[in-house]
Amino acid sequence: MRLPAVIFAALALVALPALAAPTFPPLTGRVVDAADVIPAAVEVALSTRLAALEAQTTDQFVVVTLPSLQGYEIADFGYQLGRAWGIGQEGKDNGLLLIVAPDEREVRFEVGYGLEGTLTDALTRVIIENAILPRFRANDMAGGIQRGVEDAIQVLVGDAGELQQLAAAQQAEEVEGDGLWAVLLPFLIFVVVILVMNAMGWSRGSRILGGALGSTLGSSRGWSSGRSSGGGFSGGGGSFGGGGSSGRW
């Protein structure tokens, strides 16, 4: 079970300075290799595969590599990037991003609202852990991306029985720990809030904490939302709410 955003927000207030608003690379196609780690032939093959997926299902799937996360957690950067680009169809919110940040050694599937029931957090985690990370650790960046894309497409077109079984087994293991977290989480939240208040002074801490939590748990105000496109491809107006999962290598 994941710690709620409130804990991360509170800890960030104590440990980190304020971050500048992020900048996003332009949306130049279905593959945006801003970190320059994908060979040209692989980029062409991926673009063709992703175009075929959209023609078959209307789902928009974009692969993006980033030279930097600009100090942000990949999950925070990812859903805001998806919104800024508008990946997915408006009303369907059927967008998907595979985000790779080589310098930070992080990878993430960012899943649009409309695909969260199909490409669940458990499934994206299984794909990352079994298809992507082993190849990245073997210095096969292109191979990890290609295999991750193929596995995600299998799920989207309804041909992922083995992946579904792996995800179900993983979920069953996680459920066993939910009872303990249900007891511990309120206590942990209380402790973190008290630490923030003490560190900043009670009245000042309460004002800053409230503002930070509103920003973290609310919408994407303060982030760039302008869409950019190139090469005849653009987002369709889809939105994201933080669904998906991340991994490190």
Side-chain angles (χ1 to χ4, degrees), residues 1-229:
M1 183 175 180
R2 299 175 182 175
L3 290 175
V6 63
I7 292 181
F8 294 112
L11 290 174
L13 285 173
V14 176
L16 296 174
L19 292 173
T23 57
F24 305 126
L27 179 60
T28 53
R30 292 179 173 85
V31 179
V32 180
D33 185 22
D36 195 23
V37 296
I38 304 176
V42 174
E43 183 172 338
V44 170
L46 286 170
S47 297
T48 301
R49 187 76 172 99
L50 297 175
L53 171 70
E54 184 174 353
Q56 178 182 353
T57 66
T58 76
D59 299 336
Q60 282 194 330
F61 187 175
V62 173
V63 174
V64 54
T65 70
L66 299 169
S68 171
L69 293 172
Q70 303 169 40
Y72 283 87
E73 295 291 333
I74 193 170
D76 292 336
F77 196 98
Y79 88 88
Q80 300 291 353
L81 175 61
R83 288 183 177 184
W85 281 352
I87 303 302
Q89 305 300 324
E90 186 174 6
K92 292 184 176 181
D93 296 326
N94 55 343
L96 175 64
L97 296 174
L98 175 56
I99 305 166
V100 181
D103 282 358
E104 288 90 346
R105 304 180 73 84
E106 293 190 63
V107 59
R108 178 170 178 81
F109 277 109
E110 196 66 49
V111 183
Y113 285 118
L115 295 180
E116 289 180 1
T118 301
L119 195 59
T120 63
D121 292 1
L123 277 167
T124 55
R125 189 158 55 251
V126 164
I127 295 172
I128 287 172
E129 292 176 355
N130 292 276
I132 297 177
L133 293 183
R135 290 170 172 80
F136 281 7
R137 289 171 182 142
N139 296 318
D140 184 8
M141 186 74 65
I145 291 172
Q146 286 180 298
R147 180 60 187 273
V149 166
E150 286 301 324
D151 282 3
I153 289 176
Q154 284 186 355
V155 175
L156 294 176
V157 300
D159 183 23
E162 183 177 351
L163 290 172
Q164 294 280 6
Q165 291 176 3
L166 289 172
Q170 189 175 69
Q171 283 181 309
E173 293 177 0
E174 292 174 354
V175 166
E176 295 179 1
D178 284 352
L180 179 61
W181 277 115
V183 175
L184 291 179
L185 279 177
F187 174 74
L188 291 173
I189 294 170
F190 176 77
V191 169
V192 170
V193 169
I194 292 299
L195 289 173
V196 171
M197 298 303 185
N198 287 340
M200 297 183 175
W202 187 266
S203 61
R204 178 171 175 266
S206 63
R207 291 194 302 271
I208 296 176
L209 179 61
L213 294 181
S215 175
T216 300
L217 300 177
S219 67
S220 60
R221 290 188 296 271
W223 294 66
S224 171
S225 60
R227 295 175 193 152
S228 54
S229 62

